[in-house]
Amino acid sequence: MKSFKFVFCALLGISILTFSSCGPKYTLEEKEDYTLVLNQGGATLGYAPASGVTLIENKGYAFKDLNKNGELDAYEDWRLPVDERIADLVVQMSVEQMAGLMLYSAHQAVPAGGRGPFGATYNGKAFAESGAAPSDLSDAQKKFLTDDNLRHVLVTSLQTPAVAAKWNNNMQTLVEGIGLGIPANTSSDPRHRTRSSAEFDLGSGGDISMWPASLGIAATFDPDSMKQFGEIASIEYRALGISTALSPQIDLATEPRWSRFSGTMGEDPNLATDMARAYVDGFQTSAGDHEILNGWGYHSVNAMVKHWPGGGPEEGGRDGHFGYGAYAVYPGNKLEDHLAPFTDGAFKLEGATSMASAVMPYYTISTDVDSKYGENVGNAYSKYIITDLLREKYGYDGVVCSDWGITNDVQSVDEFAGKSWGVETMSVSEKHYKAIDAGIDQFGGNNDMGPVLEAYNMGVAEHGEEYMKSRFELSATRLLRNIFRVGLFENAYLDPAATEQIVGNPEYMKAGYEAQLKSVVMLKNSNQSLPIKERLKVYMPQRYIPAASNWFGMRSEERWEDAFNQGIVSKYFEVVESPGEADFALLGIQSPDGGVGYDATDLEKGGNGYVPITLQYGPYKAEHARETSLAGGSPFEDFTNRSYKDKTNTASNLPDLALVVKTRKEMGDKAVIVVINVSKPMVFSEIESAANAILVHMGVQDQALMDLLTGAAEPSALLPFQMPANMKTVEEQMEDVPRDMTPYTDSDGNIYDFAFGLNWSGTIEDARVSKYK
């Protein structure tokens, strides 16, 4: 790496520090594949000479000539206010460029495999056969960036932090050289989840810091912990080239059977609101030298809060990714509770960025919420939900981006394809036009600008060219604001060496580990079974995992696996092979996997396809379910009643129950400690009496569990949701109402209610409980 410095005001030996106005006020620093421009007292710029972009000098300062016209345009002038720069850029954009800006890519892996739903090619070949570097752009990426003017990219797996940085630079170099030089805005779904088997070493780092899921951080009942996560995660994101987070998921989890429960912040409106505010403040706020203006800057990550107006109250717990879960229902008339994490949390920040910069509506039809137009359509298609409620009533003027794939076609209620609920029979272009008319700015998962342009032409035919161009300019303005405010127009490039030092550094790993310790809830501790002395003998039977298929139809075969990393456990206890040798047993299981609420084989038996989702392990018959569903109807069904009353279901991980029962019998009077990774509430009556102690967590490293079991750390977390007494109370609760189940009471008299948790002294009764319960 070489550094070059201009000589200022050499004439008469005048000092360059005192009279720098006599010449250039910037220095250049060449990197491997880009150049840094350091303006004295001004913005640091980054550009790639390979893109064809050159510098313009004005009053001694340097600016990038992004549109290559040899003049300093307002949008290129980093001294001007963002809104003035955006106004100048928008009027220079063609309809095609604005249409491309309104796209958000399908999922992109770096590098991409050659098969599967996220596969891609490199020079026409699968990556493994292509000779391409991991940081090279795929054929599809080059196409949608060049031909479709797409500038918002969703990344999934990143091979390494350094590869991510190099890939970012390759992408930014490409788009910098196209048209107006608009940089790419890369996004990610949450990527800080733990690996249970990973070992924490105070002096070492990792690929990225590991934290509990949002539900786990919510269990700390400490918004400051959530904010700290956001502050650290945003710095790591920016070091990876990620400037938008497709998070947080702030749906109020009032329906305990919902499959996306684990991504939420729990079921209590007040707790979820405070956690949502802290998360967004942490992600969006830059401080000190990293701030550009009003809290925005080079450490800021746009937070796209989801899913407006709340995806939690889905009838029967069925999820909106499928037609069988298209309907959210409000039997308790609690829509306002579901809006609170948005309107009182993410839209009322304590930090200077004021409100979350983007919102994603959910796939669902918010049944009978539209009191103005009377439409029951997916939220992204509802003018009432987007324009009247979000924009006008709550004054939101940020980006509204659809969830992924809403405009794609679908052929049945159980096909994982398009999610255009309520408008399934429209053409793809008509769906785009309806969503734009509803107030949507951007289409998630769409790489093709063709349908957006067709929607534009439909609008021109109905309203005229002036109206439709103005509508596109409005969305373009919102979208550009989120690119400008985080500094991408100044410098979108990364130093891979710096990225490797930042992402997963020891300080961040330590903070994540400490949050894990604070997120584990102790529900039971009979006769002070915990903590356990180190070096005692422990028996850890393996779990049996039945064969299964995921949403994409990818099948995993049956297998036996260790519940914990034996290498980590052996540093605390002596691991033995049989119950007879052991001082205690340690079991690791998952909460019941009670299905998705739909089974095509039920149709073959003459049923309607709808079955119960169970929160218990053993066979369950839905005797207390509704006779008639609250909502229903699909072009692919000839009925509207989706009731599953009196049908049966059994959790797919029933072997977990058998394991607990068997181990209890084998251990006799010796202690059985059960650790449960919970993804949603569960019925404890089947297993609680067999356990001397129970810990529940939402994704932590095994080492954190060992530190808690041995007393190196004390449990302090609280339940951010209720654990139901039985399935009867689950069926009788209302999908939209918080905390309306009868909670489980265990054999020690503990009530597994919201805000319950134990420490070594007993039930926790502190300021957190007083505030939220």
Side-chain angles (χ1 to χ4, degrees), residues 59-222:
K59 296 184 179 179
Y61 294 107
F63 305 84
K64 293 188 288 185
D65 186 12
L66 292 170
N67 62 6
K68 305 181 186 66
N69 67 353
E71 300 177 0
L72 178 59
D73 292 85
Y75 86 91
E76 299 164 337
D77 190 341
W78 44 262
R79 298 167 300 188
L80 297 178
V82 164
D83 286 346
E84 186 175 336
R85 298 175 69 185
I86 293 172
D88 176 66
L89 177 55
V90 166
V91 297
Q92 297 188 45
M93 295 179 73
S94 66
V95 171
E96 289 78 10
Q97 288 168 327
M98 289 188 282
L101 204 61
M102 296 168 72
L103 305 176
Y104 223 126
S105 82
H107 300 69
Q108 305 295 310
V110 179
R115 298 178 180 177
F118 308 130
T121 59
Y122 295 78
N123 295 320
K125 299 179 180 179
F127 174 74
E129 303 163 0
S130 67
S135 56
D136 286 350
L137 301 179
S138 71
D139 296 336
Q141 290 161 3
K142 292 175 183 177
K143 179 186 181 302
F144 63 59
L145 292 169
T146 303
D147 297 345
D148 294 286
N149 297 307
L150 185 149
R151 291 297 178 271
H152 293 80
V153 181
L154 169 60
V155 295
T156 55
S157 61
L158 302 171
Q159 187 179 82
T160 66
V163 166
K166 293 177 182 177
W167 177 84
N168 170 81
N169 291 352
N170 288 336
M171 176 176 62
Q172 300 295 359
T173 299
L174 175 63
V175 298
E176 188 175 70
I178 300 172
L180 298 166
I182 297 172
N185 180 356
T186 302
S187 72
S188 173
D189 282 308
R191 56 191 318 114
H192 283 81
R193 298 291 179 89
T194 62
R195 297 191 311 276
S196 62
S197 60
E199 183 173 4
F200 170 70
D201 182 343
L202 186 60
S204 67
D207 290 337
I208 197 165
S209 62
M210 290 186 283
W211 297 72
S214 294
L215 190 60
I217 302 179
T220 69
F221 278 58
D222 178 19

Side-chain angles (χ1 to χ4, degrees), residues 238 284-287 289-301 353 484-488:
R238 291 304 300 268
Q284 292 193 167
T285 305
S286 292
D289 293 340
H290 303 288
E291 182 181 9
I292 299 172
L293 185 67
N294 296 329
W296 292 102
Y298 300 107
H299 281 176
S300 297
V301 172
T353 65
F484 270 104
R485 289 192 299 198
V486 298
L488 291 177

Side-chain angles (χ1 to χ4, degrees), residues 192 200-202 204-212 228-239 290 299 498-516 701:
H192 283 81
F200 170 70
D201 182 343
L202 186 60
S204 67
D207 290 337
I208 197 165
S209 62
M210 290 186 283
W211 297 72
Q228 181 192 35
F229 163 67
E231 291 168 343
I232 289 174
S234 65
I235 295 172
E236 292 184 303
Y237 270 29
R238 291 304 300 268
H290 303 288
H299 281 176
T499 292
E500 288 184 308
Q501 291 179 350
I502 293 169
V503 179
N505 71 61
E507 177 187 352
Y508 296 170
M509 298 296 287
K510 180 175 183 289
Y513 187 77
E514 290 173 347
Q516 293 178 48
Q701 293 168 251

